[in-house]
Amino acid sequence: MHLRTGGNYALSLRGRFERRPAGQPGGIVAIDGCPIGCAKVTVEHGGFPVTDYIMVTGLGIRKKHEFAWTDEELDRVVQAVKESLES
């Protein structure tokens, strides 16, 4: 699975999420690195509604201009996405 960020970088989280069973409604998760909200704006500008929104700085992760995240940081983002999808 690849998640697109506002700056057109891809972050691979392969194996950290399970696919939804067939027949369950899907959604679009936007994950932003800062309050500017580039990912959310980009998705919405394309005409797609963002159903779940995560801002990594709100998880205590500092915005970096490279994607050298630790496993612990990725796990925090994955957990936040899972919790958002469950609510």
Side-chain angles (χ1 to χ4, degrees), residues 19-30:
R19 291 187 176 271
R20 291 179 184 232
Q24 276 194 336
I28 296 175
V29 178

Side-chain angles (χ1 to χ4, degrees), residues 51-68:
T51 57
D52 296 273
Y53 183 64
I54 306 296
M55 187 182 321
V56 298
T57 54
L59 302 174
I61 300 171
R62 196 181 89 232
K63 181 176 179 175
K64 304 171 191 172
H65 294 286
E66 73 283 340
F67 290 98

Side-chain angles (χ1 to χ4, degrees), residues 7-60:
N8 290 326
Y9 294 98
L11 172 63
S12 177
L13 297 177
R14 192 169 292 145
R16 293 180 184 259
F17 291 96
E18 295 178 10
R19 291 187 176 271
R20 291 179 184 232
Q24 276 194 336
I28 296 175
V29 178
I31 302 173
D32 270 312
C34 72
I36 294 172
C38 296
K40 184 177 182 192
V41 170
T42 300
V43 171
E44 290 173 341
H45 182 73
F48 301 98
V50 172
T51 57
D52 296 273
Y53 183 64
I54 306 296
M55 187 182 321
V56 298
T57 54
L59 302 174

Side-chain angles (χ1 to χ4, degrees), residues 55-87:
M55 187 182 321
V56 298
T57 54
L59 302 174
I61 300 171
R62 196 181 89 232
K63 181 176 179 175
K64 304 171 191 172
H65 294 286
E66 73 283 340
F67 290 98
W69 291 7
T70 67
D71 285 342
E72 191 273 329
E73 289 172 326
L74 288 174
D75 288 342
R76 269 193 271 167
V77 174
V78 169
Q79 186 60 38
V81 170
K82 286 180 178 181
E83 289 172 6
S84 180
L85 292 173
E86 291 170 355
S87 63

